[in-house]
Structures are given as C-alpha cells and as structure tokens.
Amino acid sequence: MTKKLFATLLLSLSLNTAMAQDKTVYGFNRDYPCGLVAINTGNTAATTRMKSASGVMASAGAIVKDVMYITEMDDNDNTVVYSIDLGTGNLTKIKNLGTKAALPVEMSYDYTNDQMYFINNSDYTDGVSALWTMDMETFAMKKVQDNMGQNFRGLAINAAGDMYGLTRSGELYTIDKEKGKAVKLIGKTGHSPYLFTAMDFDRATGKLYWACYENSTNKLYEVNPASAAVTELGTIGQGSGLYTVAVDVPYAPSEATAPAKIDSISIVPAQQGALSATISWQNPTLMANDEPLKSLTKVEVMRGEELIATLTEAQPGQNMSYEDKNVPANGTYRYTVRTYNEIGASADRFADVFIGRDQLAAPERIIAAMGASVGYPANTNIIAWDAARVGIHGGFVDTLNVVYDVIRTNDSLVIVQGTKYEACLDQQLADTLTRYIYKVVPRNADGEGQAKESNYLVNGPAAQVPFAADFDKWNDAALWTVMDVNQDGYEFSWHRPNFLEGKGVYVYQTHEYNYAVDLIVSPPVEFQEGHTYKITVSCCNSFAPYPESFMLYSLAGYTTMGAVPIGEPVENINHPDEFRDYSFELKAEDDGLGASDERFTSFIGVCCTSNPGMQMFMVNKVSIDDLTPAGIADVRAAGANNGNIYNLRGQRIAQPGKGLYIKNGKKYIK
C-alpha cells in the first residue's frame, strides 16, 4: 500500500467517522415561512426547511417517538395542538383547546411514564414558571405546580426520566417532576435565551441540544447536563439563522417486535428496616408494535446500574417477583425491570424506593402561640407540634423512642433538649417586643431527623400609646403578623417596590377569583377603658382601574375569633401610589369588670377586603393616638370643650353627680 493510498483511506475513514457522529435534530421554524426544519449537528448552516406551515406560529413542541407535536395561540387566543409527520413535514390540526387552556412555552416527553410535560408562566406569582402535563390522547392539561421556584424557558427529559430546566438567565437546574420544583443548580451556560427557546435530549446518546435565540442570532448548542458547559455547534441556517422552537430527536425505546415495557412495578421493603426488598411485576403480553408477544427469553432486574438477577424461566403475562437480599446500606435505590425476546430488550420500567432504617421527617405542623391566650403568664410563648412518625424518604422509622430539641432561631437559644413531649414553653422572652421563630428537631437512635420551623410570633411587653408603625422601617414592619384568613395562599407581604422608589410597604396582591380576607395585625398594644383612640391607616391602590377596599378590626390576639369591626368599611380606594390617611375612632368601653379605667391589651388588624381581579393594596403606616385628655392641663390645652364635663382623671362624664369637675378648662363644682 502506497503512502498516497494510505492517506486517502485515512481521510475517508475520518470523514465517515465524523458523518456517523452527526445527528439530525428537528425543530419548528418561527420565521416566515414557518414549518418543520431538519438540523444537521455537523453542519447547522445547511439546515433544511422540510415543508411550510404558513400561518402557524408554534410556541413549543416535542417529539413522541417519530411524530412532532406543537402548540400555538391562534388569532382568537385559542391554544391549538398540531401534529407533524417527520418524514414529510405535513402538519395536521388535532384539537382546539379554547381560550382558557394554558399556552406552553416549552415541552418535553417522558418515555418512562408516557407523559408530556410543559412549562408556562405562573398564574399567581410573577417571574416564575408553572409545570403542567398534557394527556396525549385527550390533550387535557393538568397543573403540577404553579410556582417552580425559577423562571424556566427550556425543558428537557432524558431517557431515564430525569427532568432539567434552563432559566431565563441561562442557568441549568435539575427538576423534581413529581413536585414541579427546581432542585439543584447545575451551572451557568453563559447565555440568556429569548422567550421562546427550545432544548431536549437525544435520548439514545444522552446528548442535550439547545436552540438559543440571543442577540438576534439563532444558534445550536450542545449542553453538558452534568456541568451546564456549552459547545457551540453553529448558526441554525444562513445569516442570523432561523428562529427555532420544538427542538427534539426521534426516539424508539425498543425495537418494534421486542417486548413492550411492563405496565407497572411494585417494590416492598422488608419490615423493621431490614436491608432487603421484594420487586414484583407482570410480564408484558404485547410487543412494542402492539402485536401479541409469543415468548420471552429472559427478564433482567437491576439495582441502580448493577444487574442483580437474570430470570430465564419467564412467560408473557406471568406475574413474577424477586427478593433482593443483598442491599448494601440504608438508602434510596432505583430498581429496573426489562424483558427480552429473540429480537431484543423492552424499554425499562423502574421505580425508586427507600430501603433500611430511615431518618425522621419533620413534624407536619409546628405552631408558636402566645401563652397568655391559653392561660399561661404574660410574655410566655407556647410551642406545640405534631409527633414525627414518618421517614424523610418514606422508609421505616423507629417511632417508639423519639425525642425533640426546640431551638429559638433568633438567638440560637435551646429552649428544651431531648423532650418526649410535643409542646413546651419559652418564658425567657426579651424585655421588648420581639419577633420569634422556633425550630423543632426530632431524633431517635438512628440519628437526628429533619428540622422544621414554626410560624413567626411577635410577643413581649405591650406597646404604649401613642403608637406608630412606619413600614418603611423593617424593625417596625417585622412586629406585624400576616394572616391569610381565607387560606387561599394569597396574603400580605412586605416589599420595597421599585415603582415606589424602594419604599417599604405591606402589599396585598389581589387574587384573580377570591375576595380578599387578609390581615396584617399589630403587636400587642395597651389600651385603657374609658378612653377614645384615633387609629390612622395610610394606604393606596396601585392602578386606577382597580380600586381597593379595607376594614379595621380590634382583635384579642393573632386570631379572628371575637374580632370587632372599628368604624365603617373603606371602599373604592383609588389614588394610585399616593398614600392617604384614613382615620377611625375606637372607644374603649368599660367591660364592667374591675376598675372603670382598667388597662388591657388588644391588637389592631388592617383587613384587605378587595374584590377579585384587582391589583395591589398597599399600606405604608399605622398609628394610634389617645384622644382622651389625661388631666386638667390637657383639658385646658384642648381649648373650648363645647360644655363637656370631665372628672379630674380626664374622663368625660355625661351625667355628673355631686363632686369636683372640669368644664371649659376650669374647675367646676356640682
């Protein structure tokens, strides 16, 4: 063989190897003319427009086996679903879901559970995404989670069913698809995608492809799912490229005449935390092409990546089980079952389970409350919690020997340690009003369990009148308690909005469907029977077409039981971003118990009562002033009193008996 011939063969081998590594990635082009495009990962500039779908502007899409499904919003604001034949590029309208259906901004199909997932903007929280599923037979949509915790624009699911999300700022996260929550930040790609971007896996190779529209250019990247590092593959098409969504790769989980994957798998851990488990399943009766399965050659059972059993005595439709007696340690394991015939293997069916002795999960509820409300001395907090009875991972836990540590998070003070009871008192409060939060940590012989914090609680010596809370100061705002009375998840929150030049306010974001019944409640304030008080609330709405409303209440504590309205409701507040004062008069009547001028503690609640579909109700300040003169000097300072008569303590008397009084600022004897 000559050197020239050897070089020619080497070059040919290199080209063939490179071509073998190239992949066709499909997408849908949003530039005119819209339609299916085929992208060669080795030569992205030569992207092929397969067929025009004029008038269809896809928002998202994904491939299921060898069919692409896309969604769009038509001219009448309906969400519409189409299918596209990847061989011809022909587009078929499947279903009009109507105007109320969600509009996907990115989709991905999960071959492990036969679910189509998609993301769009949260209905209730600005700047975050919601996760949905879409049934591929009826195309009905179901929300998994309204607040995923991040603003996702890319969504991808690999062959094992692991879900990944790419944020608007280009950060790659893992996602818990069951809870619909971002779990772990993998890393930053260094690119910030536009609204409609697209990514998905080549599930056969594990490569993650991403079409990113950024800086008016459309490029294809390969993303490392372990680090978020990106490799630029090139511009999609000529010039600035084609604006491409619905990027995906066809995938066949198994050969057409191989067995279909088993329908379900059941894993039962051994009792009392023993390190073994029984895996049960029913063998398939069909092949992947839905024709009858005639025989099986074997069944494989895997724990993680380890093959733990090969069962050769297997028949179609047979119920089978295998006991894994060699689990190495406490932990969560993934068990996989696949079946074989003469053609090959089925797709995997797997399930995760915790085996062994689990650690205690946090108590479901932890409540901190004022001890005085249940008969304990003033300035006492009571902390109560549910028993810890389940494992963090759902595994076996020893519930007979559980003890608890209670820690005050403000100053890390240990309130109790190793108590068997499910309540305790904190009688070591500060000598000023303070915001408290408590952490309860369960533990047993297997170690410390999962900690959980209580609600925050404001307690301490009652505030004195005159009292003023300026919510621009966090120290003032922190002493007020937020209460979601109607339990709809919408409540007051403290913010420094940019549109108010960073001024601190309590904001209630109005619910789309529910009437507001939401409170901010003052810390305990000391009042005196027989006195009259002026309470002033400074507030506003945020947008002229949406007026807000509120009421003022007197409360006995951080509860609405026994709440008493103060004055009349305030309706149609409509002066956007301009805080105005609304004043109420509270007469502290004698309750007939003890002295007529007895002092008592009460709480003031500002309750938003806005209609559904409004915008924001904002509270800036709340103040309380005593209108009752405290003595002779105060009565004189008040000027003419229109003939009102006061006793020497400054209390107004409607029908005085014999005695010494003050009238028009002077002593008066009757």
Side-chain angles (χ1 to χ4, degrees):
M1 182 182 292
T2 66
K3 289 184 178 180
K4 184 175 181 180
L5 178 59
F6 180 79
T8 301
L9 289 173
L10 183 61
L11 175 60
S12 175
L13 179 62
S14 299
L15 289 174
N16 287 336
T17 301
M19 291 176 64
Q21 291 176 341
D22 293 348
K23 191 78 176 184
T24 298
V25 176
Y26 292 90
F28 194 90
N29 167 43
R30 285 175 58 91
D31 299 299
Y32 182 82
C34 303
L36 184 70
V37 293
I39 310 166
N40 186 307
T41 59
N43 184 11
T44 60
T47 293
T48 303
R49 293 178 186 261
M50 296 187 62
K51 194 162 187 177
S52 171
S54 180
V56 176
M57 187 74 72
S59 64
I63 294 173
V64 181
K65 295 182 179 177
D66 57 359
V67 176
M68 176 180 284
Y69 294 87
I70 64 168
T71 57
E72 74 146 354
M73 180 181 288
D74 67 13
D75 294 338
N76 296 316
D77 295 338
N78 297 297
T79 297
V80 184
V81 182
Y82 300 86
S83 66
I84 303 175
D85 186 314
L86 294 182
T88 64
N90 291 335
L91 178 141
T92 302
K93 182 177 180 179
I94 298 178
K95 194 166 186 178
N96 185 330
L97 302 180
T99 58
K100 294 184 178 180
L103 179 69
V105 298
E106 168 72 316
M107 300 162 63
S108 186
Y109 187 73
D110 187 350
Y111 287 88
T112 67
N113 62 11
D114 300 318
Q115 292 268 18
M116 179 71 82
Y117 290 86
F118 71 87
I119 53 175
N120 71 349
N121 293 331
S122 165
D123 287 328
Y124 305 121
T125 307
D126 291 338
V128 297
S129 299
L131 182 67
W132 297 69
T133 59
M134 182 166 65
D135 186 285
M136 296 310 293
E137 292 184 4
T138 65
F139 298 95
M141 296 174 170
K142 182 179 180 180
K143 187 182 289 187
V144 178
Q145 172 62 249
D146 185 70
N147 183 348
M148 297 178 72
Q150 295 291 333
N151 186 357
F152 288 113
R153 284 294 173 261
L155 187 72
I157 304 172
N158 64 17
D162 303 317
M163 181 179 286
Y164 295 79
L166 186 78
T167 68
R168 177 69 181 81
S169 57
E171 296 175 326
L172 188 66
Y173 280 83
T174 58
I175 297 172
D176 183 331
K177 66 187 179 189
E178 301 297 328
K179 298 179 180 178
K181 283 289 190 179
V183 176
K184 178 183 177 183
L185 172 62
I186 296 172
K188 299 180 179 180
T189 63
H191 300 275
S192 299
Y194 192 62
L195 174 60
F196 293 110
T197 189
M199 67 189 317
D200 224 324
F201 283 92
D202 174 2
R203 294 168 178 82
T205 64
K207 290 185 176 182
L208 177 58
Y209 294 105
W210 174 30
C212 178
Y213 177 83
E214 181 185 30
N215 300 324
S216 301
T217 303
N218 301 274
K219 292 187 176 181
L220 185 69
Y221 297 96
E222 183 182 329
V223 183
N224 185 330
S227 66
V230 298
T231 301
E232 182 179 328
L233 301 180
T235 301
I236 303 173
Q238 302 293 327
S240 60
L242 302 176
Y243 187 6
T244 306
V245 298
V247 165
D248 207 344
V249 179
Y251 177 63
S254 60
E255 294 292 336
T257 54
K261 66 181 175 184
I262 63 175
D263 285 336
S264 62
I265 181 173
S266 171
I267 306 168
V268 179
Q271 295 183 353
Q272 302 298 311
L275 293 175
S276 66
T278 300
I279 306 99
S280 303
W281 68 94
Q282 183 180 22
N283 292 333
T285 58
L286 300 174
M287 295 186 294
N289 62 3
D290 291 333
E291 294 182 4
L293 176 65
K294 296 180 179 179
S295 64
L296 289 172
T297 57
K298 64 178 178 179
V299 178
E300 290 182 345
V301 182
M302 302 184 70
R303 184 197 325 115
E305 300 298 322
E306 181 183 355
L307 178 63
I308 60 173
T310 301
L311 309 175
T312 56
E313 299 296 326
Q315 298 295 325
Q318 180 183 2
N319 291 314
M320 300 188 70
S321 64
Y322 176 77
E323 185 179 1
D324 180 8
K325 299 179 179 179
N326 299 304
V327 179
N330 299 329
T332 299
Y333 295 91
R334 172 167 291 184
Y335 284 93
T336 302
V337 175
R338 68 172 70 103
T339 62
Y340 290 78
N341 65 1
E342 295 79 2
I343 301 301
S346 70
D348 292 346
R349 177 70 75 182
F350 61 83
D352 298 329
V353 67
F354 185 91
I355 300 172
R357 296 176 70 91
D358 203 353
Q359 291 177 297
L360 288 160
E364 185 175 344
R365 294 180 304 166
I366 302 173
I367 299 172
M370 301 178 72
S373 64
V374 288
Y376 288 100
N379 299 338
T380 299
N381 291 341
I382 183 170
I383 307 97
W385 56 92
D386 294 328
R389 297 192 180 278
V390 298
I392 294 175
H393 309 96
F396 169 82
V397 288
D398 173 13
T399 59
L400 298 178
N401 300 291
V402 182
V403 295
Y404 305 91
D405 300 336
V406 180
I407 302 163
R408 195 166 72 190
T409 63
N410 309 53
D411 51 9
S412 300
L413 179 68
V414 177
I415 304 302
V416 293
Q417 189 167 28
T419 180
K420 293 184 178 180
Y421 299 106
E422 292 155 22
C424 69
L425 296 176
D426 179 9
Q427 296 179 304
Q428 305 178 60
L429 305 190
D431 57 5
T432 58
L433 282 166
T434 302
R435 179 179 176 133
Y436 297 97
I437 298 176
Y438 297 90
K439 179 172 66 176
V440 176
V441 186
R443 54 187 170 90
N444 58 14
D446 295 314
E448 185 175 292
Q450 192 176 41
K452 187 172 183 178
E453 290 186 349
S454 70
N455 56 291
Y456 69 83
L457 174 67
V458 177
N459 201 358
Q464 301 297 304
V465 177
F467 169 82
D470 182 351
F471 296 145
D472 191 40
K473 304 171 183 175
W474 168 244
N475 287 341
D476 283 5
L479 297 181
W480 286 66
T481 298
V482 172
M483 293 177 60
D484 179 7
V485 179
N486 59 4
Q487 296 293 303
D488 63 358
Y490 277 52
E491 60 185 19
F492 277 98
S493 56
W494 185 81
H495 290 289
R496 290 191 180 277
N498 291 332
F499 59 84
L500 293 179
E501 298 181 350
K503 184 175 185 62
V505 293
Y506 267 110
V507 177
Y508 177 76
Q509 177 72 51
T510 312
H511 195 285
E512 185 177 0
Y513 307 113
N514 297 341
Y515 284 87
V517 191
D518 294 83
L519 285 159
I520 47 172
V521 181
S522 73
V525 179
E526 186 176 84
F527 295 89
Q528 187 171 348
E529 291 179 0
H531 283 220
T532 300
Y533 298 88
K534 183 176 79 169
I535 304 171
T536 303
V537 178
S538 176
C539 60
C540 68
N541 63 327
S542 61
F543 192 33
Y546 301 105
E548 308 288 344
S549 59
F550 79 99
M551 291 183 65
L552 198 69
Y553 285 93
S554 172
L555 302 103
Y558 301 120
T559 173
T560 57
M561 293 182 62
V564 178
I566 301 174
E568 298 297 323
V570 180
E571 306 285 353
N572 297 317
I573 298 170
N574 201 0
H575 36 88
D577 301 342
E578 177 192 343
F579 290 98
R580 295 182 186 176
D581 289 346
Y582 294 86
S583 294
F584 303 78
E585 188 173 282
L586 170 64
K587 293 183 178 180
E589 304 290 349
D590 182 2
D591 61 5
L593 302 174
S596 61
D597 61 348
E598 187 176 19
R599 295 182 179 273
F600 65 96
T601 297
S602 188
F603 300 74
I604 300 299
V606 179
C607 180
C608 181
T609 57
S610 296
N611 292 340
M614 297 296 104
Q615 288 288 316
M616 289 186 287
F617 174 63
M618 297 178 286
V619 184
N620 176 37
K621 295 178 181 178
V622 179
S623 62
I624 305 173
D625 294 291
D626 191 344
L627 298 181
T628 306
I632 295 175
D634 292 330
V635 175
R636 287 175 176 168
N641 291 287
N642 299 320
N644 290 335
I645 299 173
Y646 297 84
N647 62 22
L648 297 184
R649 302 172 99 173
Q651 297 169 318
R652 194 174 65 162
I653 307 298
Q655 296 180 343
K658 292 183 179 181
L660 180 62
Y661 300 95
I662 303 295
K663 183 176 181 180
N664 294 328
K666 298 180 180 180
K667 289 182 180 180
Y668 166 74
I669 301 176
K670 182 176 180 180

